[in-house]
């Protein structure tokens, strides 16, 4: 049975790094204060957060918040490995100073997740065998660098990237060393992509070391596929929301997690327009929903 699960909240509900017009008026201080007030123990890190560990700690500790992790973009398939490594080491050291145990990584080579003019389904990259080789080689090296600090890299399968589908996740998991590469489990991305969320968890639960919970409004997800919308168009239209507000039933997912040996963070992450969906109220709603389950 699970002995250690903590709930964190992602700042993307308050201010969106990919779409700066969403929540541009919201401050870092408002974000973390409302997270704490909503009952969360941790946070992931957004672009408005202080970049020095000592400064960030001075804001988080009085609010009882810890750092769960932070996103790191890799370009292992399209750029020289050393470029990614140099940026990774800096990112790793900052997260280590903040007490985080996992580093969220995602390959962004040829990604369309940040493009407004490309379909998240029709235009997503499909890695060649050579690109897969470069990705796996780089992940193993980054995994060893994480181990130097007693940390893990957790790979974020993501809409609009080369690792999105069940088959792509399977190829990644089968080609990588479990001691060096772990998996981030994201309910929202799996649902929008059309994958079997429970089957993915059952298959890889021993390698899942970080979890993102976001709900999905199915009608908008359907429109994204039928009309060839971009990922960011889907976000702007409200495809994602917090657990308990969309069409995903989280009860069987939470039961699976609690029945497993999962130890770590569950991060509520729902990129919505804060002018439409008050982030504090939605964060509270998610916490109440999960506690009721």
């Amino acid at each position: 049975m699970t002995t250690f699960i903590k709930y964190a909240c992602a700042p993307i509900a308050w201010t969106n790094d990919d779409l700066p017009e969403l929540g541009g008026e919201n401050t870092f201080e408002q974000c973390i204060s409302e997270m704490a007030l909503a009952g969360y123990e941790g946070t992931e890190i957004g672009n408005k957060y202080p970049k020095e560990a000592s400064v960030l700690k001075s804001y988080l500790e009085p609010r009882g918040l810890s750092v769960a992790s932070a996103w790191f973009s890799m370009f292992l398939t399209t750029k020289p490995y050393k470029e990614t490594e140099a940026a990774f080491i800096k990112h790793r050291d900052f997260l280590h100073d903040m007490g985080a145990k996992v580093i969220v990584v995602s390959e962004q080579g040829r990604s369309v997740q940040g493009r407004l003019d490309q379909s998240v389904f029709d235009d997503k990259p499909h890695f060649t065998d050579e690109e897969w080789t470069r990705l796996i080689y780089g992940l193993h090296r980054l995994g060893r660098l994480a181990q130097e600090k007693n940390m893990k890299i957790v790979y974020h399968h993501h809409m609009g990237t080369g690792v999105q589908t069940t088959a792509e996740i399977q190829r990644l998991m089968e080609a990588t060393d479990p001691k060096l590469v772990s998996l981030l489990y994201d309910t929202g991305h799996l649902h929008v992509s059309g994958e079997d969320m429970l089957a993915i968890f059952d298959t890889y639960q021993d390698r899942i070391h970080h979890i993102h919970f976001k709900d999905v409004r199915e009608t908008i997800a359907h429109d994204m596929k039928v009309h060839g919308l971009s990922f960011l168009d889907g976000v702007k239209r409200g495809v994602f929301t917090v657990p308990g507000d969309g069409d995903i039933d989280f009860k069987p997912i939470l039961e699976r997690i609690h029945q497993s040996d999962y130890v770590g963070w569950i991060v509520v992450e729902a990129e919505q327009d804060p002018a439409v969906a008050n982030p504090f109220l939605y964060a509270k709603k998610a916490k109440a929903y999960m506690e009721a389950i």
Side-chain angles (χ1 to χ4, degrees):
M1 294 295 291
T2 297
T3 57
F4 177 76
I5 291 176
K6 287 186 176 182
Y7 283 99
C9 204
I12 201 165
W14 281 263
T15 180
N16 194 306
D17 292 341
D18 296 320
L19 292 165
E21 67 269 24
L22 300 185
E25 71 282 1
N26 293 332
T27 66
F28 156 69
E29 292 90 341
Q30 175 190 345
C31 173
I32 59 171
S33 294
E34 292 185 348
M35 283 180 189
L37 193 59
Y40 292 88
E41 299 173 84
T43 178
E44 289 195 341
I45 295 176
N47 282 343
K48 289 185 179 179
Y49 284 42
K51 303 300 189 289
E52 293 183 24
S54 60
V55 176
L56 183 53
K57 285 179 184 178
S58 73
Y59 283 98
L60 296 183
E61 289 176 355
R63 293 166 171 85
L65 292 174
S66 302
V67 169
S69 189
W71 170 281
F72 178 77
S73 293
M74 304 181 300
F75 295 90
L76 297 169
T77 62
T78 56
K79 296 181 180 181
Y81 166 77
K82 284 295 183 181
E83 290 186 26
T84 292
E85 181 185 83
F88 177 82
I89 290 172
K90 182 178 179 181
H91 187 78
R92 175 204 66 178
D93 291 349
F94 174 70
L95 285 179
H96 181 262
D97 288 345
M98 293 305 304
K101 299 298 183 184
V102 298
I103 305 165
V104 176
V105 300
S106 182
E107 174 59 28
Q108 292 300 295
R110 298 197 289 119
S111 168
V112 300
Q113 74 178 63
R115 299 289 299 272
L116 279 165
D117 60 340
Q118 292 187 289
S119 165
V120 71
F121 287 100
D122 301 334
D123 298 321
K124 74 171 290 297
H126 298 276
F127 293 149
T128 64
D129 288 343
E130 181 184 357
E131 287 171 329
W132 274 107
T133 298
R134 290 165 63 93
L135 175 61
I136 302 309
Y137 169 80
L139 282 171
H140 283 153
R141 292 193 65 174
L142 297 181
R144 292 187 186 96
L145 289 170
Q147 280 188 340
E148 292 178 359
K149 298 288 188 178
N150 196 30
M151 302 174 76
K152 298 178 184 291
I153 58 171
V154 288
Y155 193 98
H156 192 335
H157 56 87
H158 200 288
M159 294 295 299
T161 73
V163 183
Q164 169 182 311
T165 66
T166 298
E168 290 162 348
I169 294 169
Q170 179 181 357
R171 182 165 182 173
L172 180 81
M173 291 290 95
E174 290 180 351
T176 51
D177 185 341
K179 295 178 181 177
L180 297 175
V181 182
S182 299
L183 185 67
L184 182 153
Y185 178 76
D186 188 301
T187 58
H189 286 274
L190 290 174
H191 186 86
V192 173
S193 184
E195 317 307 319
D196 186 332
M197 285 183 293
L198 294 179
I200 293 287
F201 186 85
D202 290 343
T203 302
Y204 304 112
Q205 62 178 276
D206 292 342
R207 293 181 70 176
I208 293 170
H209 293 290
H210 203 55
I211 293 174
H212 281 177
F213 267 10
K214 50 177 169 275
D215 212 335
V216 173
R217 296 183 175 99
E218 183 57 43
T219 55
I220 302 173
H222 175 76
D223 286 346
M224 289 175 68
K225 192 162 192 175
V226 171
H227 300 297
L229 299 181
S230 71
F231 178 71
L232 296 182
D233 275 329
V235 169
K236 289 197 289 185
R237 294 187 187 202
V239 67
F240 295 126
T241 184
V242 297
D245 190 56
D247 294 300
I248 296 177
D249 179 5
F250 281 83
K251 188 173 188 294
I253 302 169
L254 273 167
E255 287 174 349
R256 291 288 216 290
I257 293 169
H258 280 276
Q259 290 165 2
S260 74
D261 293 323
Y262 180 74
V263 174
W265 291 96
I266 294 177
V267 182
V268 171
E269 182 193 44
E271 48 266 58
Q272 302 188 79
D273 183 347
V276 176
N278 182 294
F280 171 59
L281 297 180
Y282 274 75
K284 283 183 64 178
K285 181 175 185 174
K287 194 72 161 47
Y289 170 73
M290 294 182 295
E291 288 175 350
I293 294 176

